[in-house]
Amino acid sequence: MKIPQASAAQSNLNMDGAATDLFVALRDLLLPYKTDLLVVHDEDDHFYANCRNADAKGKAQFFGAVKASGRRHSFHFMSVYTFPELLADISPALKKHMQGKSCFNFDAWDPTLLRELQMLIEQGVSRYRTAGKL
């Protein structure tokens, strides 16, 4: 998936426009896997998806979410909780955006971090497929 680059027009957007673009960029990181997921919420400020396959108890397994709250955007990705070794090679810059074990918070567009997050998602999806969760 290609991560959109911030254009000159985007850099001139007001905070609401920039926040919308950041939400869309984060949400777009998860959309290539939509066929493997059960989308629970897909709204202008909230995207939430579970894995298609239920756990051993028949319960839905959380996959990931994006939530916009003002300028702050939370990106939750459960693969890094399930497989914490995926975090071993992330950059210090991305690590600074972590809160808790599976959440990354962003308040500004950063194409480098979005590309790194995309690679992390690809690794997590691969691990989930191998484990039979997707």
Side-chain angles (χ1 to χ4, degrees):
M1 181 178 107
K2 186 175 181 181
I3 301 296
Q5 299 294 317
S7 67
Q10 287 170 323
S11 64
N12 292 328
L13 290 173
N14 63 27
M15 281 304 197
D16 293 336
T20 300
D21 288 342
L22 179 57
F23 174 82
V24 170
L26 291 168
R27 177 183 169 271
D28 285 354
L29 294 174
L30 297 176
L31 288 183
Y33 310 103
K34 194 172 182 177
T35 58
D36 294 316
L37 305 173
L38 295 173
V39 177
V40 178
H41 297 285
D42 192 357
E43 301 160 6
D44 290 343
D45 64 350
H46 187 204
F47 180 85
Y48 183 105
N50 290 326
C51 299
R52 270 210 187 273
N53 297 334
D55 68 10
K57 295 180 182 179
K59 295 175 109 181
Q61 297 181 85
F62 176 61
F63 176 80
V66 181
K67 179 74 175 157
S69 182
R71 287 189 62 211
R72 171 117 341 174
H73 293 69
S74 299
F75 184 91
H76 301 268
F77 185 53
M78 201 59 175
S79 290
V80 298
Y81 179 84
T82 307
F83 305 106
E85 61 275 12
L86 292 173
L87 297 171
D89 295 327
I90 68 170
S91 70
L94 186 57
K95 182 80 169 165
K96 285 181 184 178
H97 289 272
M98 279 198 80
Q99 179 177 352
K101 294 182 180 182
S102 64
C103 179
F104 298 85
N105 289 316
F106 299 93
D107 58 9
W109 180 285
D110 185 329
T112 302
L113 291 179
L114 291 177
R115 279 191 290 278
E116 184 176 358
L117 194 56
Q118 177 188 6
M119 292 186 322
L120 186 63
I121 292 165
E122 290 169 359
Q123 293 169 9
V125 166
S126 176
R127 294 290 299 272
Y128 263 17
R129 285 185 176 139
T130 300
K133 294 179 180 285
L134 295 179

